[in-house]
Amino acid sequence: MLQINNLRASIDDKQILKGINLEVKPGEVHAIMGPNGSGKSTLSSVIAGREGYEVSGEVLFNGNDLLEMAPEVRAWEGIFLAFQYPVEIPGVSNTNFMRTCINEQRKYKGLPEMDASTFLRTMREKAELVELDPNLMKRSVNQGFSGGEKKRNEIFQLAMLEPKLAILDETDSGLDIDALRIVSNGVNKLRNKDNAFVVITHYQRLLDYIVPDFVHVLMNGQIVKSGTKELAYELEEKGYDWLKTELKATV
Amino acid sequence: MSTIAPANTLTDRLTVFANQLAGDPLEGMRRAAAADFARLGLPHTDLEDWKYTNFKGLQQLDALAPLPILDEAAIDLNKYRIAGIDAYELVFINGRFAGTLSSRFESEQRFISSLALARNLRTGLLLEHLGMYAQQQNEGLTALNTALAPDGFVIHLAKNEVCERPVVIYHISTGTKERGWVNQRNLVIAEAGSQLTVIEKYISDSPIFDNVVTEVVVGSNADVAHYKLQTRYGDAWHVGTTRVEQARDSRYYNATISWSGELVRNNLQTRHNGTGCETHYFGLYLLDHDNLIDNHTLVDHAQPHCNSHELYKGIVGPAGKAVFNGKVMVRPDAQKTDAYQSNANILLADTGTINTKPELEIFADDVKCSHGATIGQLDLNELFYLKTRGIGEEKARTILLTAFAGEVIEAIRIDALREDLLAQLMDELHRMQITF
Ligand SMILES: Nc1ncnc2c1ncn2[C@@H]1O[C@H](COP(=O)(O)OP(=O)(O)O)[C@@H](O)[C@H]1O
Ligand SMILES: [Mg+2]
C-alpha cells in the first residue's frame, strides 16, 4: 500500500528526514516511536503533502507517486492524517465542513452527493463511535474544543472519510486514560484487512490498546530500529538512551 | 425614456436652485448650505479626512451627464428586490421618487414617504430636524447635498410606534451609459420608544455618482436597525454620510455591506446625547478589482454609561484599495464608557492596499476602551488542514474567506436578508478566487 524509499526532507537547509524506508501493507498497524524532534511529525506532514519542504526519494501509494499529488488528491486517494495539533477553523461548522469533505471525495470518485438523511445518520453513528458530543457538530471546527475533544474529532473525521491509510500523529498525547480508551476502541473498530494505520506515539501505553504489528524507532531523521511490539516494551523500560548507546556500539 | 432633466451641471444647478427657492420651507437652510459649499468646495486629498481617498472623478462633477427620466411602468422591481421580506418599499430611479413602485404610508403615527412629499405633509418635522445634525459646515459634499438635494426618503415613527415591517429603500440608477449624479437627502426620526428597521439598497445598472446624506434621530429607548447594502453597485461612485443622534437608553444598530462600486466613501457618525445608549457598527468590504472602498466611522461618546461595539472586516484583492478610519471620541463627561472596535483585513495579494487607522481620543478616565486592527493573509495551517480532508485549494480558500467575512453577515438580524447575503457572499468569493 505505502512504500517509502530513501525519503529525505529538509527545510531552510536543515535536514530533518535523512533517508526513511518503510513499507506498509493492507491490514497492518505500524507504530513509530521516537524522542521529541526526531522527525515524526515531519514524516507525516510530508506524506500528507504539506508545502515548504525540499523532498527527495520516493513515496508510492498503491503504486502511484504520492509526492506528485496535491494534498487533497492524496486525501481522495485514501490518505488521512490525524494532526498532532488539530487546527481550529473559526466560522466553519463541523457539520458543513464534514459535508463538504464527504461530497468532494464523492465527486472525485464520480459519485453523487450524499443525501441529507444518510449524511446525518452517518454523522451520528460515527460521533457515537468516539463518544463525541453531538452539540460539537454545530460549532466551528475545533474552536473552543478541549484537547481531548480535538483528538476525538480527528478520529471522528477519520471514521467519516474511511481512508485506506491513516496516520495518527500523537493522537494519544494529552488524553486521559478514559479518552485514550475511547479513541483506541474507535480505531480498533475501524481496522480491517483492507486499511492500514501508522500510529505515531511517544508512549508504549497507547500500544496496549492499539496493538501494532510492527514498531519502528525514528531517531534523528532515520528509522534506526524496527521490530514487533516487544520493542515498544523494551524502549519503555530502557529509554531511548539505551538505543543510542547500542547504536554507537554497532557503528 | 423621455426628456432630460435640465440644469444638471454643478454651476447650473446652483444658479437655478437659487431662483426656485421662494416659498420653499427649506429656503433658509438651502441658502446657508450653498454659502457653506462656496467656502468649502469639493473634497481633495490635502484634507486630512480625504488623505487616502483620491476621488479624482469629483473634479469632473460639472461635466457629468444629466440622468434620463424613465417611465416607472417599464421598471421591473423584481430584478432588484430582496427576496423573502415583507417590507415597505420606497423606490428611487435615477434620483427621482418612483411613487407607483413604492408603498408609501402616511399616517399620524407612521410616515414612510419621500422628502418632496414631506415638505408639505411634515413641514414642522423637517424644519425641526433637517440639516441640524450632518456636519455641513466642514464637509463640502454635505453642504452641496443640503443645498441641492431634490428628494430622498423620510421616515417618522411617533412615540412608541413599533414598525414591524422593515422599510427597504431601493436606490437605482439605470437606463444610460453616461455617468450622472444624484443628491439624495434622507431623514429618519424614531421617537421615544419606537422601533424601526431600515434597509438601504444601492443599485447601479448605469454609472452614477450618488451623493447621499442621511440624518437619523433615535429617541429615548427607541431602537433603530439600519442596513446599507452596496452589493450590486456596478462602477458607481458614492459618498454617503449617515449621521445618527441617540437619546438616552436608545439603541442604534448598523451594518454596511459593500462589495461593489468603483469609488465608495461611507461616513457613519453617531453621537450619544443621553446616558445608557448602545451603538453597534458592523461593516464588510470586498474589493475584487481596482476599486476603492472607504469607511470612515465615528462614535462620539458624549455621555456617561454608553456602549459602542464596532466590527469592520475587509478582503482586498490584488488591485483593490480599502480605507478604514474608525474614530472613537470619549468626552470628559463620558465616564463608564465601554467602547470596542476591531478592524480585520485579509489581503489576497501583497499588491492590494489597506489603510486602517483607529483613532481613539479619550478624555475620561473611568472607561473601558479597546481596539485592534489587523492585516493578514489566509492562514496556511488552516488551508493545509482543509486540503488534507479533501478540499481543493480554490474551495478551501473560498470556505475560509466566507467564514472570515461571514461573521459580519451573521450580524444581520433579518433572516431572509442574512441568508441571501451569505449565499451571494459565497458566490462572490468563489468568483474572486477564480479571477485571481
Ligand atoms: N517548519 C520547520 N522549520 C524549521 N525546523 C523545523 C520545522 N518543522 C520541524 N522542524 C524541526 O525538525 C525537527 C523534527 O521536528 P518534528 O518532525 O516536529 O519532530 P517530532 O514530531 O518527532 O517531535 C525538529 O528539530 C524541529 O525543530
Ligand atoms: Mg511531532
Side-chain angles (χ1 to χ4, degrees):
Chain A
M1 177 181 284
L2 182 75
Q3 210 164 345
I4 302 179
N5 299 319
N6 194 23
L7 179 67
R8 291 162 186 275
S10 56
I11 196 159
D12 304 332
D13 288 332
K14 183 182 174 195
Q15 190 80 23
I16 302 173
L17 301 182
K18 302 172 180 172
I20 304 262
N21 297 295
L22 180 69
E23 185 174 4
V24 179
K25 299 206 177 86
E28 292 178 351
V29 173
H30 290 246
I32 297 182
M33 304 183 75
N36 265 334
S38 57
K40 303 182 299 294
S41 290
T42 304
L43 175 62
S44 47
S45 291
V46 168
I47 296 173
R50 191 190 283 274
E51 283 167 29
Y53 302 102
E54 196 159 329
V55 177
S56 70
E58 189 181 49
V59 181
L60 297 177
F61 186 59
N62 293 326
N64 298 316
D65 183 355
L66 197 67
L67 297 178
E68 282 299 300
M69 297 177 201
E72 62 273 19
V73 179
R74 301 182 197 201
W76 296 329
E77 287 287 332
I79 301 258
F80 182 92
L81 169 62
F83 281 59
Q84 180 174 2
Y85 304 108
V87 180
E88 299 186 5
I89 317 275
V92 179
S93 81
N94 243 335
T95 305
N96 283 341
F97 173 55
M98 255 4 286
R99 185 183 293 120
T100 310
C101 299
I102 294 267
N103 285 330
E104 289 299 295
Q105 188 186 54
R106 291 175 68 89
K107 200 195 286 173
Y108 182 72
K109 292 181 175 158
L111 297 169
E113 291 201 348
M114 188 180 270
D115 69 83
S117 66
T118 313
F119 173 73
L120 290 174
R121 183 163 34 78
T122 317
M123 286 261 291
R124 218 175 311 119
E125 280 169 21
K126 308 293 183 182
E128 261 169 43
L129 185 75
V130 287
E131 297 177 29
L132 199 60
D133 180 355
N135 286 323
L136 292 181
M137 294 303 149
K138 292 181 215 123
R139 300 236 308 260
S140 292
V141 178
N142 292 326
Q143 203 180 25
F145 286 28
S146 71
E149 284 169 340
K150 283 182 183 170
K151 296 299 179 81
R152 276 187 277 164
N153 197 27
E154 295 291 283
I155 305 305
F156 161 73
Q157 293 174 23
L158 190 163
M160 290 295 290
L161 294 169
E162 300 183 327
K164 293 187 188 118
L165 174 73
I167 303 163
L168 276 50
D169 189 2
E170 294 204 30
T171 300
D172 56 331
S173 51
L175 291 187
D176 61 29
I177 197 76
D178 288 333
L180 185 67
R181 190 181 38 76
I182 292 165
V183 162
S184 314
N185 280 345
V187 169
N188 286 330
K189 282 189 190 135
L190 296 168
R191 279 174 76 166
N192 62 45
K193 65 175 180 15
D194 298 318
N195 63 19
F197 288 81
V198 173
V199 180
I200 294 171
T201 182
H202 244 16
Y203 310 104
Q204 173 270 329
R205 185 177 78 149
L206 175 71
L207 305 179
D208 286 340
Y209 295 92
I210 304 175
V211 182
D213 301 296
F214 302 96
V215 173
H216 311 277
V217 182
L218 185 65
M219 280 173 96
N220 195 17
Q222 280 183 314
I223 290 180
V224 294
K225 200 172 175 72
S226 295
T228 57
K229 65 174 192 291
E230 279 68 35
L231 177 56
Y233 290 112
E234 208 171 351
L235 274 174
E236 181 83 355
E237 202 177 303
K238 301 182 183 165
Y240 290 110
D241 286 340
W242 152 72
L243 209 54
K244 277 183 202 152
T245 6
E246 190 183 71
L247 287 170
K248 269 198 196 116
T250 49
V251 166
Chain B
M1 190 190 337
S2 67
T3 50
I4 265 156
N8 213 289
T9 67
L10 184 52
T11 27
D12 285 352
R13 280 199 194 191
L14 281 165
T15 332
V16 170
F17 113 98
N19 302 328
Q20 293 174 341
L21 282 174
D24 185 332
L26 305 177
E27 177 178 353
M29 182 189 89
R30 299 236 196 237
R31 286 199 191 278
D36 281 331
F37 177 71
R39 176 171 52 82
L40 294 162
L42 292 163
H44 47 82
T45 50
D46 291 344
L47 300 171
E48 183 61 28
D49 247 12
W50 289 82
K51 200 155 108 188
Y52 300 109
T53 314
N54 196 355
F55 216 135
K56 283 196 215 83
L58 276 189
Q59 311 315 323
Q60 309 147 24
L61 207 51
D62 242 355
L64 292 185
L67 281 161
I69 299 164
L70 303 183
D71 177 8
E72 291 175 23
I75 303 285
D76 178 11
L77 192 58
N78 279 322
K79 259 176 43 185
Y80 309 110
R81 220 178 226 129
I82 304 164
I85 304 186
D86 174 29
Y88 293 105
E89 295 174 327
L90 298 175
V91 182
F92 294 83
I93 309 281
N94 292 345
R96 302 173 70 89
F97 182 59
T100 60
L101 297 173
S102 302
S103 43
R104 284 160 48 197
F105 192 95
E106 288 143 9
S107 76
E108 203 50 47
Q109 287 298 304
R110 188 181 289 195
F111 183 86
I112 297 165
S113 187
S114 76
L115 177 66
L117 290 161
R119 222 172 350 218
N120 295 323
L121 298 171
R122 284 288 199 275
T123 315
L125 189 83
L126 295 193
L127 288 175
E128 189 184 343
H129 295 290
L130 201 71
M132 296 300 157
Y133 315 112
Q135 306 290 295
Q136 68 187 43
Q137 302 80 3
N138 50 33
E139 186 62 74
L141 281 168
T142 300
L144 190 63
N145 180 288
T146 306
L148 291 179
D151 215 341
F153 63 84
V154 173
I155 302 170
H156 173 221
L157 296 187
K159 200 175 168 195
N160 293 332
E161 178 73 354
V162 175
C163 188
E164 63 299 328
R165 293 163 75 194
V167 182
V168 184
I169 292 98
Y170 294 99
H171 184 91
I172 303 165
S173 66
T174 185
T176 172
K177 288 199 164 53
E178 283 181 271
R179 191 178 298 273
W181 69 295
V182 166
N183 284 291
Q184 187 180 22
R185 185 53 172 255
N186 311 309
L187 183 65
V188 176
I189 308 290
E191 289 195 29
S194 65
Q195 287 177 30
L196 174 69
T197 297
V198 182
I199 304 168
E200 292 178 63
K201 183 166 182 183
Y202 290 88
I203 295 154
S204 160
D205 283 350
S206 299
I208 188 76
F209 167 48
D210 283 320
N211 183 32
V212 183
V213 176
T214 306
E215 290 169 295
V216 180
V217 177
V218 191
S220 60
N221 201 33
D223 201 319
V224 173
H226 188 180
Y227 303 101
K228 182 173 182 182
L229 310 178
Q230 294 161 326
T231 51
R232 186 178 164 178
Y233 211 17
D235 61 357
W237 301 346
H238 177 103
V239 177
T241 296
T242 301
R243 172 75 194 194
V244 185
E245 299 288 325
Q246 284 189 250
R248 71 182 283 258
D249 297 325
S250 65
R251 291 162 298 280
Y252 177 74
Y253 192 95
N254 182 292
T256 299
I257 313 291
S258 317
W259 61 62
S260 49
E262 201 61 38
L263 286 164
V264 173
R265 165 68 175 255
N266 296 312
N267 299 315
L268 175 59
Q269 310 162 352
T270 298
R271 183 170 59 189
H272 296 151
N273 299 308
T275 59
C277 296
E278 203 179 298
T279 306
H280 288 264
Y281 288 173
F282 295 92
L284 175 65
Y285 42 94
L286 311 179
L287 292 90
D288 64 355
H289 63 292
D290 60 341
N291 53 340
L292 183 151
I293 298 178
D294 173 351
N295 284 287
H296 265 62
T297 68
L298 165 69
V299 183
D300 187 348
H301 283 270
Q303 295 284 333
H305 294 282
C306 297
N307 300 336
S308 65
H309 177 281
E310 177 168 12
L311 173 68
Y312 268 71
K313 284 187 152 188
I315 299 173
V316 183
K321 185 169 182 213
V323 180
F324 174 79
N325 187 290
K327 188 163 173 173
V328 176
M329 169 76 94
V330 181
R331 294 188 188 269
D333 286 343
Q335 299 297 357
K336 303 287 179 192
T337 289
D338 189 341
Y340 167 85
Q341 182 191 81
S342 160
N343 174 232
N345 298 279
I346 290 183
L347 274 179
L348 292 181
D350 53 16
T351 48
T353 309
I354 161 84
N355 288 295
T356 173
K357 188 175 171 205
E359 273 186 88
L360 272 67
E361 295 185 16
I362 302 173
F363 300 103
D365 47 20
D366 186 12
V367 299
K368 219 172 95 190
C369 296
S370 64
H371 69 97
T374 58
I375 302 173
Q377 314 227 324
L378 277 183
D379 186 295
L380 291 177
N381 266 327
E382 293 176 17
L383 265 179
F384 178 60
Y385 190 73
L386 295 188
K387 289 183 195 172
T388 62
R389 300 304 185 247
I391 301 174
E393 172 87 24
E394 190 184 295
K395 190 148 200 144
R397 294 180 71 91
T398 304
I399 286 174
L400 292 179
L401 291 173
T402 306
F404 172 80
E407 189 185 358
V408 173
I409 307 285
E410 293 293 345
I412 291 174
R413 290 164 161 178
I414 304 166
D415 295 347
L417 179 61
R418 186 180 56 246
E419 295 310 316
D420 181 48
L421 285 174
L422 268 181
Q424 283 185 53
L425 173 71
M426 193 99 162
D427 289 348
E428 186 71 15
L429 289 169
H430 183 68
R431 206 177 47 69
M432 276 171 88
Q433 289 314 303
I434 297 168
T435 325
F436 305 141

